[in-house]
Amino acid sequence: MKWKVNERARQENQKTSAEFLNQEVVKQVMQFHKSVDNYAPTPLWSLNNLAEHLGVEQIFVKDESYRFGLNAFKVLGGSYAMGRYLAKCLELPLEGLSFNYLKSAEIRSRLGDITFTTATDGNHGRGVAWAAQQLGQKAVVYMPAGSAQRRLENIKATGAEAYITDLNYDDAVRFALQKAQELGWVMVQDTAWDGYEEIPTWIMQGYATMASEALEQMKGEKPTHIFIQAGVGALAGAMVGFFASAFPDDPPIAVIVEPDKADCLYRSALEGKIKNVGGDMNTIMAGLACGEPNPIGWNILYDYANAFISCPDNLSARGMRILGNPLGTDPRIISGESGAIGIGVLSEIMQDTALGKLRESLKLNKDSKILFFSTEGDTDPDKYRSIVWDGEFESFKKEGKINAQ
């Protein structure tokens, strides 16, 4: 495990990178999501026995496997961004914007046919496809090489077109963009580049519902720490930005975790500027296998995140096993490879005597109240079982498919 403490975090009093996640915006986002049929806050579990075992005061886990029956959080961003796009086309005000109104026959007749497209390892694409289906529109989804067949089938079950390409994630994004430009489709991606910032910003605002729910479920009590996993950094930026806005004078200590085969944010933190990672990025954390940071998310993280951690796959597998095999009366949580990494990293930090300096730097102790986001359930059940039952990580390591530390 490698880490970089961000010494510049919060050193300036006037930072504006998280302004678009202010509390008024988040209130509008929450109202929008509450207008979706079957909306309900996902559970926030307290793992009291695990907290005692690891030597901290409290551990909270936001369980996104319950989100709209889709087993992952990603739909929050895609649905809100697509809603905002349609509202902009129709020149509708944001106040009182309703998902159900946008899916009405009246709106459908005014808009005509729209095709949304995206690149995804599965969860984001399924969310975009589901939202397009609800809105009576079309979706075309491209997936990187090695994507799970089950995730492909879940996307197709919404009526969307979906394909597994022979490209890595970042090249799949470029391919989807090319198709959108050629065919007049609408790109819905949570990464950003020059000329493409509006929709990624909306997506990040959509993610804020998850953090807002968690804070309400904690009855407004601020966690001392948040551990948040990162791919391109849109989710991480949204969560860190939300709490920076909610607690501007003293935000929670924020720890960003990434797979060491796709640690573009960790490398960016080392250099003090955006650095990309290329190649296959062969990590079991498929949802985090992204090599090019979202610059909007990066700006927030560079301003506010206290540490960036690059970690091997075995810590993800460890987190999955910890959550799936709870201590005492703690609830059992089914968390996928990308959802459990934070718990795996915390367990390593608190139990490895060699990491005392990192513990001290992050102020992790008996008074720590730590919030985690389990962003997916077993979205690929076969993969989940192969890891937690059969130790797939260990067999991959022996075969040389994963070059873990």
Side-chain angles (χ1 to χ4, degrees):
M1 192 167 69
K2 300 172 291 186
W3 66 88
K4 167 64 176 175
V5 173
N6 184 15
E7 301 291 352
R8 72 181 297 279
R10 311 169 198 184
Q11 293 301 308
E12 302 169 25
N13 293 327
Q14 301 297 325
K15 292 184 183 296
T16 60
S17 57
E19 175 56 30
F20 69 95
L21 293 160
N22 67 68
Q23 297 303 289
E24 187 58 36
V25 167
V26 173
K27 182 179 178 181
Q28 290 179 349
V29 175
M30 285 288 293
Q31 289 175 340
F32 176 81
H33 284 135
K34 287 179 179 179
S35 74
V36 180
D37 288 340
N38 300 318
Y39 165 81
T42 54
L44 181 73
W45 304 116
S46 295
L47 304 185
N48 297 326
N49 292 292
L50 179 61
E52 181 179 2
H53 180 73
L54 295 180
V56 297
E57 183 171 343
Q58 288 180 293
I59 289 175
F60 300 97
V61 178
K62 184 71 167 155
D63 186 353
E64 288 296 300
S65 67
Y66 290 82
R67 185 66 69 184
F68 293 135
L70 298 175
N71 210 8
F73 83 104
K74 282 283 191 176
V75 66
L76 292 173
S79 63
Y80 183 69
M82 292 159 75
R84 285 290 302 267
Y85 175 82
L86 299 185
K88 183 178 180 180
C89 291
L90 296 163
E91 298 183 345
L92 293 174
L94 295 181
E95 292 74 19
L97 181 64
S98 163
F99 187 81
N100 279 335
Y101 177 57
L102 291 175
K103 63 189 258 190
S104 67
E106 173 196 347
I107 295 299
R108 177 72 178 79
S109 65
R110 289 172 61 184
L111 286 169
D113 293 331
I114 296 174
T115 298
F116 296 98
T117 190
T118 192
T120 177
D121 81 291
N123 293 339
H124 174 66
R126 189 181 185 187
V128 168
W130 178 87
Q133 179 190 50
Q134 296 294 309
L135 294 166
Q137 300 294 352
K138 299 176 182 177
V140 180
V141 178
Y142 298 102
M143 306 178 71
S147 295
Q149 187 69 26
R150 176 68 66 89
R151 291 175 179 151
L152 175 71
E153 293 167 358
N154 285 338
I155 294 170
K156 287 184 173 181
T158 67
E161 293 181 37
Y163 309 93
I164 297 177
T165 70
D166 59 357
L167 308 169
N168 70 16
Y169 169 81
D170 300 293
D171 288 335
V173 171
R174 282 183 271 274
F175 182 75
L177 175 62
Q178 176 187 334
K179 301 299 289 186
Q181 292 171 335
E182 290 174 355
L183 300 170
W185 296 346
V186 179
M187 184 83 167
V188 183
Q189 205 68 43
D190 71 351
T191 193
W193 50 85
D194 287 344
Y196 185 75
E197 292 96 4
E198 190 172 53
I199 285 177
T201 296
W202 291 339
I203 290 175
M204 291 177 67
Q205 289 172 333
Y207 293 159
T209 285
M210 181 168 60
S212 183
E213 287 177 358
L215 187 58
E216 185 174 333
Q217 288 164 322
M218 296 175 70
K219 304 189 186 306
E221 181 181 2
K222 184 190 76 175
T224 62
H225 298 72
I226 58 171
F227 274 61
I228 184 70
Q229 57 271 36
V232 297
L235 165 66
M239 297 301 97
V240 172
F242 170 87
F243 282 100
S245 176
F247 302 98
D249 296 329
D250 186 25
I253 292 170
V255 182
I256 311 306
V257 295
E258 297 176 279
D260 59 5
K261 297 299 177 294
D263 54 1
C264 55
L265 294 168
Y266 165 76
R267 298 190 194 194
S268 298
L270 289 178
E271 297 289 331
K273 61 183 179 179
I274 287 180
K275 298 291 290 185
N276 295 338
V277 176
D280 293 335
M281 295 176 283
N282 57 334
T283 169
I284 63 171
M285 292 170 267
L288 307 181
C290 311
E292 299 178 17
N294 175 334
I296 304 170
W298 161 248
N299 288 339
I300 295 175
L301 297 177
Y302 197 41
D303 279 349
Y304 292 103
N306 295 81
F308 296 82
I309 296 180
S310 169
C311 55
D313 279 9
N314 68 299
L315 293 183
S316 169
R318 178 176 173 83
M320 293 166 70
R321 295 185 183 112
I322 289 171
L323 292 174
N325 298 272
L327 295 171
T329 58
D330 286 354
R332 180 173 182 244
I333 301 172
I334 303 300
S335 184
E337 312 90 82
S338 299
I341 179 58
I343 286 286
V345 168
L346 177 70
S347 71
E348 184 83 350
I349 293 173
M350 299 307 295
Q351 295 183 306
D352 187 340
T353 56
L355 297 177
K357 185 177 180 180
L358 180 59
R359 280 196 302 277
E360 182 179 348
S361 176
L362 296 178
K363 301 179 182 177
L364 285 165
N365 53 49
K366 61 182 180 57
D367 298 318
S368 299
K369 302 174 183 178
I370 311 168
L371 175 61
F372 297 86
F373 296 90
S374 177
T375 47
E376 63 176 358
D378 55 345
T379 53
D380 181 359
D382 293 337
K383 181 84 167 180
Y384 179 88
R385 285 193 298 272
S386 71
I387 294 171
V388 299
W389 285 14
D390 302 324
E392 182 190 85
F393 166 78
E394 294 300 329
S395 64
F396 267 42
K397 187 168 69 172
K398 289 174 183 177
E399 293 170 18
K401 296 178 181 177
I402 293 177
N403 301 314
Q405 296 177 353

